[in-house]
Amino acid sequence: MNQPATPHAELRRAYLFADMPDDQLARLAHGMHMSELKQGQVLFRQGELAERFFMVREGLVKLYRLSPEGDEKIIEIIKPGQTFGEAVMFMGNQGRYPVNAEAVSDAHLFGFEQKVFLGVLRESHEACFGLLGSMSRRLHMLVNQIESLTLQNATYRLVAYLLDQIPGGVKHSPDLELTTPKGVIASRLAIQPETLSRILGKLRRANLIEVEGNHIMVRDVAALRKLVHMPPTET
Amino acid sequence: MNQPATPHAELRRAYLFADMPDDQLARLAHGMHMSELKQGQVLFRQGELAERFFMVREGLVKLYRLSPEGDEKIIEIIKPGQTFGEAVMFMGNQGRYPVNAEAVSDAHLFGFEQKVFLGVLRESHEACFGLLGSMSRRLHMLVNQIESLTLQNATYRLVAYLLDQIPGGVKHSPDLELTTPKGVIASRLAIQPETLSRILGKLRRANLIEVEGNHIMVRDVAALRKLVHMPPTET
DNA sequence: TCGCCACCTTGATCTTGATCAATCGGCACC
DNA sequence: GGTGCCGATTGATCAAGATCAAGGTGGCGA
């Protein structure tokens, strides 16, 4: 587990760890444990004492809230290489998770001790700055999500989500595919499954995307981009 | 401006500064400037380079996004003693404001240099932890807002907002009044002014609140609380 | 005092997306 | 090779809240 050449290369993928000094990272990694979740398995529930935070190695994990009536809203979908639960320590509610976490697919995780992390933060500015960066990113994402939920309709939200998910930095991104259960996308976008199905149908008929089970393939990035920049005039 | 006895008592009101070492706070305060905004005056716009962050001394400041069509969604209403714009530095978009800021009423602010703050953060863990705490609070608030927007209807959102705004820690809170323009509340809750007016009317007729211009007085906290815990069955 | 303007209220109607319902299509498990 | 179950699709209807359309009200400056 501790190769001398690339001690913790896998951990470095996470922004949180990217710039952390080697010795501090080693300290964190020393106390870490690995765990595997089966699809649908709950990792923790909202309100539980947060003694650990996590990094996803493989699979997808959803962070979500439930209404009293049982409706679910996914706040964030965590992908491999991302961390979650690391911001909890500083919450007013002295260390309780503000959301539920559950595996969307079979998943592998690293788990870290909050207490150890706290010690690392006290000793390393790089670690602090890493956490600040990670929290800033999350903050920004949430603000964007609020804007999207309140200022834009369901079609727009879906299109924006698709464009956000595909790597898409470059002109002709090689990978225009997205693999996520539809129910998960619906919950993330606060859309009913029936409505999502209709919107996907509409986009498919317009030859903008292709759908096959869990896979959504983006066919015409340019047209989707235009759809999102031009507001709500639709067929 | 620098009384020796209580050097920066006013600044200490902000969570961000509460536990910052005296000398660091002094350093920040040294470069700070004061500014006054008239009602409706814009402080900064989304996308501008963020060279400063702020603390409100008096008045209200709204942070908001605009849709291409000009619709506004208030993300947060900043009250006296609170800071804003301090989390921007660590954003991926190297220091650009993610929202617009405008005075809701005449306002007094302190402004601080991000650059100086960054220096303080490098030297003081307390400062880092203060910022982490402030960002955590904001994160939590945004998650709650997303839940509220997606899982709850307009009446519920308003009631939850009212209960959240009144100090309300104790049983019989002495101050059950809230003073905010209705348009601002509407935008914060993502409700149309017409709809807000109707909901306020409904609550007023049920003797749960009293409304007089900008003032909303909460009459029956217990009943409102019950309304929020019991879901959506309404008259 | 008047007149203007911004904001609020109230009523009528419309629209988006939710809900209800039926059917279909894998897929696992006997 | 059923059979039961879960998720997706599609159609029909419904409802919360938006939009459109008039008034009302109050503050404020001339």
Side-chain angles (χ1 to χ4, degrees), chain A residues 88-129:
Chain A
V88 172
M89 265 183 307
F90 297 91
M91 294 271 180
N93 52 352
Q94 18 81 289
R96 296 186 176 275
Y97 294 115
V99 293
N100 307 282
E102 178 185 319
V104 167
S105 58
D106 292 354
H108 294 201
L109 310 174
F110 290 127
F112 305 90
E113 300 293 327
Q114 297 276 23
K115 227 182 294 186
V116 177
F117 188 43
L118 203 57
V120 168
L121 290 175
R122 278 190 217 290
E123 291 180 15
S124 159
H125 286 290
E126 285 87 356
C128 270
F129 281 35

Side-chain angles (χ1 to χ4, degrees), chain B residues 14-46:
Chain B
Y15 289 108
L16 184 60
F17 300 135
D19 297 323
M20 191 179 285
D22 278 333
D23 55 334
Q24 304 286 359
L25 187 57
R27 189 168 144 207
L28 249 184
H30 178 258
M32 88 186 176
H33 66 273
M34 302 190 197
S35 55
E36 307 201 357
L37 299 179
K38 286 171 313 197
Q39 180 177 125
Q41 194 176 339
V42 171
L43 181 61
F44 56 72
R45 291 187 199 281
Q46 178 180 353

Side-chain angles (χ1 to χ4, degrees), chain A:
Chain A
M1 209 196 302
N2 266 27
Q3 300 90 337
T6 58
H8 307 289
E10 192 175 356
L11 298 182
R12 294 278 183 205
R13 294 170 61 199
Y15 289 108
L16 183 60
F17 300 135
D19 298 324
M20 191 179 286
D22 276 332
D23 54 335
Q24 305 286 359
L25 185 57
R27 190 168 143 206
L28 249 184
H30 178 258
M32 89 187 174
H33 66 274
M34 303 192 197
S35 54
E36 308 202 356
L37 299 179
K38 287 170 313 198
Q39 180 177 124
Q41 195 175 338
V42 171
L43 180 61
F44 56 74
R45 291 187 199 281
Q46 178 180 353
E48 279 179 18
L49 221 48
E51 286 161 344
R52 295 193 169 75
F53 72 96
F54 304 90
M55 174 175 170
V56 175
R57 304 177 64 193
E58 212 184 302
L60 292 181
V61 173
K62 65 178 180 185
L63 307 183
Y64 60 102
R65 284 277 180 100
L66 291 175
S67 76
E69 300 86 54
D71 296 329
E72 169 195 293
K73 170 63 174 79
I74 294 180
I75 304 294
E76 192 175 359
I77 301 167
I78 309 292
K79 296 198 282 275
Q82 297 185 310
T83 56
F84 63 100
E86 76 277 16
V88 172
M89 265 183 307
F90 297 91
M91 294 271 180
N93 52 352
Q94 18 81 289
R96 296 186 176 275
Y97 294 115
V99 293
N100 307 282
E102 178 185 319
V104 167
S105 58
D106 292 354
H108 294 201
L109 310 174
F110 290 127
F112 305 90
E113 300 293 327
Q114 297 276 23
K115 227 182 294 186
V116 177
F117 188 43
L118 203 57
V120 168
L121 290 175
R122 278 190 217 290
E123 291 180 15
S124 159
H125 286 290
E126 285 87 356
C128 270
F129 281 35
L131 179 55
L132 286 168
S134 145
M135 285 173 68
S136 281
R137 230 182 315 280
R138 194 160 261 127
L139 222 36
H140 202 239
M141 185 274 285
L142 292 178
V143 170
N144 285 340
Q145 192 174 153
I146 289 177
E147 167 175 337
S148 185
L149 288 168
T150 55
L151 260 22
Q152 290 149 8
N153 67 23
T155 300
Y156 189 113
R157 290 210 296 282
L158 174 62
V159 172
Y161 178 77
L162 291 178
L163 291 175
D164 191 55
Q165 292 303 306
I166 61 177
V170 248
K171 280 270 160 131
H172 291 283
S173 185
D175 178 8
L176 296 175
E177 189 168 334
L178 167 69
T179 302
T180 311
K182 299 202 179 101
V184 171
I185 298 179
S187 171
R188 165 61 231 274
L189 297 177
I191 294 173
Q192 238 42 44
E194 293 94 325
T195 302
L196 177 62
S197 178
R198 286 181 239 268
I199 297 175
L200 285 174
K202 189 175 66 179
L203 295 179
R204 197 169 28 70
R205 259 172 271 118
N207 284 323
L208 302 179
I209 63 173
E210 230 164 303
V211 180
E212 201 180 303
N214 276 350
H215 307 276
I216 300 177
M217 284 144 289
V218 172
R219 258 304 165 81
D220 191 340
V221 181
L224 286 178
R225 287 236 174 80
K226 197 152 56 172
L227 235 186
V228 162
H229 295 314
M230 302 282 109
T233 334
E234 312 247 335
T235 312

